[in-house]
Amino acid sequence: MHIQKLTLHTRDLSLQRTFFSEQLGITPVEQTDRSVAFRLGRTLLAFEENPRWDGLYHYALQIPARQFESAVRWLKQRCPLLQNSEGQQVFFFDIWNAQGVYFADADGNIAELIAHHDLDSPDGAEFAPGSILGVSEIGWVVDDVPAAVQRLEQEYALAPYRGYSHPEFTAVGGSEGRFIVVTRGRPWLPTGQPATAGWFSAEILTRQGQQTLVAQPV
């Protein structure tokens, strides 16, 4: 699965635009009075202003595995790294053979740079914003994880990533794109903030072709 476009809400469009463009050095490719979008590899990441939005997103940006250490250095120069209660800032996910490092965007969303070591990767050149390969994860917060996983299987022909499924947390999709389906209130890594349900729109490319999933809070 590829996430071709991901649209999120933002409480303050100006702050989010400034964070991405000035702190991270990613120039907007589309912008209006109410929205802004950034090209991140194969994905267009868009934010729409909604002053009443009070949720918390988790999303991850895929980067080349051989540039992971360079990406950590790059990120540290631009914003604080998020850490867990033990002070850990870099995380290795055995079941996925992947590494991740987390940061907060202007809305306090839990964003991540993630590298999958099983995927082809360019050489270890220095990381830059143009190295980002795309949005690889979006958290989908629901009351019933198995029901949401079943919907993704039936409507989008997507299966749990690497066959792992749990009633409180299931990643659905593949190494290059997946929904992180979690139950409402489950703590997000690494900060432990509780997951909150909220609106997002994901335009995805699957073996069934182009499709759109719109998550609506209940």
Side-chain angles (χ1 to χ4, degrees):
M1 180 185 96
H2 284 175
I3 300 174
Q4 297 181 308
K5 183 177 181 180
L6 177 64
T7 305
L8 308 176
H9 281 166
T10 177
R11 287 180 288 277
D12 191 318
L13 184 67
S14 177
L15 287 179
Q16 199 69 289
R17 181 192 295 114
T18 298
F19 175 81
F20 276 86
S21 60
E22 297 185 13
Q23 282 190 242
L24 300 187
I26 303 172
T27 303
V29 295
E30 298 176 8
Q31 51 186 325
T32 69
D33 291 341
R34 297 291 307 278
S35 66
V36 64
F38 303 90
R39 171 55 61 182
L40 302 175
R42 58 181 169 266
T43 307
L44 190 67
L45 176 62
F47 292 94
E48 294 183 353
E49 190 166 50
N50 179 359
R52 294 178 296 176
W53 166 246
D54 62 355
L56 176 74
Y57 293 114
H58 163 64
Y59 58 90
L61 312 179
Q62 183 190 350
I63 63 172
R66 294 181 184 176
Q67 294 183 11
F68 182 77
E69 292 183 2
S70 173
V72 173
R73 293 193 297 270
W74 174 88
L75 190 60
K76 282 182 176 179
Q77 294 172 356
R78 286 158 178 81
C79 59
L81 303 187
L82 299 181
Q83 59 188 31
N84 64 14
S85 59
E86 299 177 349
Q88 182 180 355
Q89 296 179 329
V90 176
F91 299 83
F92 187 79
F93 310 107
D94 292 321
I95 193 171
W96 295 352
N97 193 23
Q99 284 177 289
V101 60
Y102 294 85
F103 62 100
D105 67 14
D107 267 329
N109 297 313
I110 299 174
E112 178 185 5
L113 300 181
I114 189 168
H116 287 266
H117 295 283
D118 291 342
L119 297 177
D120 291 337
S121 173
D123 62 29
E126 284 298 302
F127 178 85
S131 301
I132 297 172
L133 302 172
V135 174
S136 64
E137 294 179 8
I138 176 62
W140 186 16
V141 183
V142 298
D143 289 319
D144 188 335
V145 169
V149 171
Q150 184 179 44
R151 176 187 169 188
L152 290 171
E153 291 177 323
Q154 293 177 346
E155 297 183 19
Y156 301 91
L158 297 173
Y161 182 44
R162 300 203 169 183
Y164 176 82
S165 183
H166 186 276
E168 293 185 358
F169 175 103
T170 301
V172 181
S175 297
E176 295 180 309
R178 55 198 169 272
F179 294 100
I180 305 297
V181 188
V182 301
T183 188
R184 189 192 305 261
R186 186 182 188 278
W188 283 121
L189 187 71
T191 63
Q193 292 167 274
T196 56
W199 179 93
F200 70 81
S201 173
E203 298 178 16
I204 61 176
L205 181 63
T206 72
R207 60 188 180 186
Q208 292 186 335
Q210 292 183 330
Q211 300 173 280
T212 300
L213 184 147
V214 178
Q216 297 285 0
V218 295

